[in-house]
Amino acid sequence: MQAVVVTPGVANSVRPVEVERPELGPGQVVVRTLQVGICGTDVEINRGLIGEAPPGCDHLILGHESLGRVEGLGRGARGLAVGDYVVATVRRSCPQNCLNCRSGESDMCLTGDYTERGIKGMHGYLAEYYVEAPTWLVKVLPALKDVAVLLEPLSIAEKAVSQTFAIQRRLHWRPQTAVVLGAGAVGLLAAALLRLRGLETYALARSPRGTPASQMVEAMGATYWSSREHPLASLTQELGNIDIVVEATGNAQVALECAAVLGNNGVLSLLGIYPPYSPPQAPVGRLARELVLGNRVVFGSVNANRRYFETGLEHMAEMEGRWPGLLDRFVTRRLTLADFPAALEKAAGDIKTLIHIGH
Ligand SMILES: [Zn+2]
Ligand SMILES: [Zn+2]
């Protein structure tokens, strides 16, 4: 079958190749891949910065944002039927099966020895077929199949927003104002979730108004601001107490500045994979002081377990009802497996590149 692979650790190794079709084992289903979304993680893997091949293999099949259709069931596989549309989760439990992994929270894995399909130690979904146990697959109703490939990035935003509210059970809290940094897919989806919760939501990104992303922000009843006209440092003056900040640019300097604009009792979630060095002249003392004096919380959030895929599906249906056509507009480029490596190059204004594999 056709697949797109990288040699982990080698920069610019992404290539379309022929590989063996995976064998269907007992308790597994075989899925025909229909669409795969591309994101920054795939780009980082192709830079050789992250990514790990499965044991005994010299390549890694890329791709972790998927939509597929069940084509066959292995012996004893239950919970899905041939023809079902499915989105696969990404992370798999660690071999020690730690407290969190065995509780269905592999996204909170305690040991760090988890694997991730298309990223760490397991092949991904950029191939014509994959096999998987139903427990890691989320069934999608046909009504949502045209947008369901966005469920994996939505699950990331879903976890951040839902954990923000879970953390705030520590106090009496009535949030009004939310700010999202970054207008990529995860930032836009976080803004949509915050709008569904009725928050006055501001999305900040570098580009001036008029981009597809800014129009989508406005279509969901949020406000788009270019950070050139509304620098982070002046946000508190413009907006007053900011209750929620979601950092989705992946820029460490921005992450640090976000912590400084957080209002009293506010929560900041950091979603980027920040480079492991500090920005020069980081005002760490002031930051620590502000966190204490304002009872502020900063937390990091990575990956998402099945629960967030399921609530994500409910919110996806709600978004489709409230803003018809909005989710469709996330896809700014449609390509095929043969279009690699060019598929990883992002043009200005691109939000989500989709690879169409089967239908
Ligand atoms: Zn992704
Ligand atoms: Zn674990």
Side-chain angles (χ1 to χ4, degrees):
M1 65 173 183
Q2 259 202 310
V4 168
V5 304
V6 293
T7 306
V10 177
N12 302 317
S13 62
V14 73
R15 58 203 184 267
V17 292
E18 273 296 314
V19 297
E20 294 270 310
R21 256 181 82 158
E23 261 177 59
L24 179 60
Q28 291 184 321
V29 299
V30 60
V31 179
R32 172 77 169 118
T33 315
L34 303 179
Q35 301 172 356
V36 169
I38 299 299
C39 84
T41 302
D42 303 309
V43 174
E44 300 258 289
I45 294 172
N46 189 43
R47 284 194 186 129
L49 301 175
I50 51 170
E52 206 181 287
C57 195
D58 61 357
H59 64 271
L60 170 73
I61 299 179
L62 208 57
H64 58 275
E65 305 181 0
S66 71
L67 170 74
R69 194 180 49 235
V70 175
E71 278 218 342
L73 277 70
R75 194 161 38 83
R78 262 175 258 291
L80 288 169
V82 170
D84 281 349
Y85 290 100
V86 289
V87 169
T89 60
V90 178
R91 191 177 285 190
R92 303 290 174 264
S93 304
C94 65
Q96 301 91 323
N97 211 17
C98 73
L99 169 69
N100 300 88
C101 283
R102 68 174 180 266
S103 310
E105 292 181 335
S106 56
D107 59 318
M108 306 299 262
C109 177
L110 207 48
T111 65
D113 295 335
Y114 56 80
T115 51
E116 287 176 332
R117 292 203 64 152
I119 304 172
K120 183 174 180 274
M122 284 184 94
H123 285 315
Y125 309 119
L126 264 174
E128 291 178 271
Y129 296 91
Y130 68 88
V131 298
E132 188 51 278
T135 183
W136 304 111
L137 302 175
V138 178
K139 183 177 161 178
V140 172
L141 294 177
L144 285 178
K145 76 172 165 46
D146 292 334
V147 291
V149 70
L150 294 171
L151 186 55
E152 196 279 341
L154 177 59
S155 74
I156 304 296
E158 186 77 29
K159 178 179 173 184
V161 172
S162 117
Q163 296 217 334
T164 292
F165 281 80
I167 287 166
Q168 291 299 79
R169 289 197 206 118
R170 67 189 175 123
L171 46 50
H172 293 281
W173 194 51
R174 204 168 295 149
Q176 290 177 338
T177 309
V179 172
V180 177
L181 278 298
V186 170
L188 290 170
L189 290 165
L193 290 173
L194 292 162
R195 286 295 302 133
L196 287 184
R197 286 183 186 253
L199 278 112
E200 195 181 309
T201 304
Y202 295 80
L204 256 79
R206 260 179 311 205
S207 309
R209 277 185 66 212
T211 58
S214 79
Q215 289 159 2
M216 287 162 63
V217 166
E218 285 162 11
M220 60 176 87
T223 305
Y224 180 91
W225 276 353
S226 163
S227 54
R228 290 180 191 158
E229 289 155 33
H230 300 269
L232 262 179
S234 65
L235 275 197
T236 311
Q237 282 156 14
E238 296 193 71
L239 298 178
N241 204 65
I242 299 170
D243 303 297
I244 297 174
V245 180
V246 177
E247 202 306 297
T249 68
N251 181 313
Q253 181 67 43
V254 173
L256 195 78
E257 288 174 26
C258 277
V261 302
L262 201 55
N264 287 338
N265 298 345
V267 187
L268 161 63
S269 57
L270 301 178
L271 304 184
I273 306 296
Y274 306 96
Y277 49 80
S278 322
Q281 297 156 348
V284 175
R286 201 192 79 201
L287 179 64
R289 182 188 159 90
E290 295 281 316
L291 290 179
V292 170
L293 295 181
N295 289 298
R296 299 166 174 95
V297 171
V298 178
F299 76 102
S301 179
V302 69
N303 189 255
N305 68 50
R306 186 187 180 96
R307 198 164 76 223
Y308 302 109
F309 281 74
E310 283 166 356
T311 52
L313 265 184
E314 288 166 25
H315 287 140
M316 198 172 243
E318 216 178 309
M319 288 175 200
E320 284 280 272
R322 190 147 157 201
W323 309 301
L326 181 77
L327 290 173
D328 225 26
R329 288 159 68 186
F330 275 74
V331 180
T332 45
R333 226 158 48 126
R334 295 177 185 274
L335 302 172
T336 69
L337 289 175
D339 292 319
F340 283 84
L344 290 187
E345 288 158 22
K346 203 172 165 188
D350 269 341
I351 300 170
K352 181 61 69 188
T353 296
L354 262 204
I355 310 303
H356 284 258
I357 301 172
H359 40 228

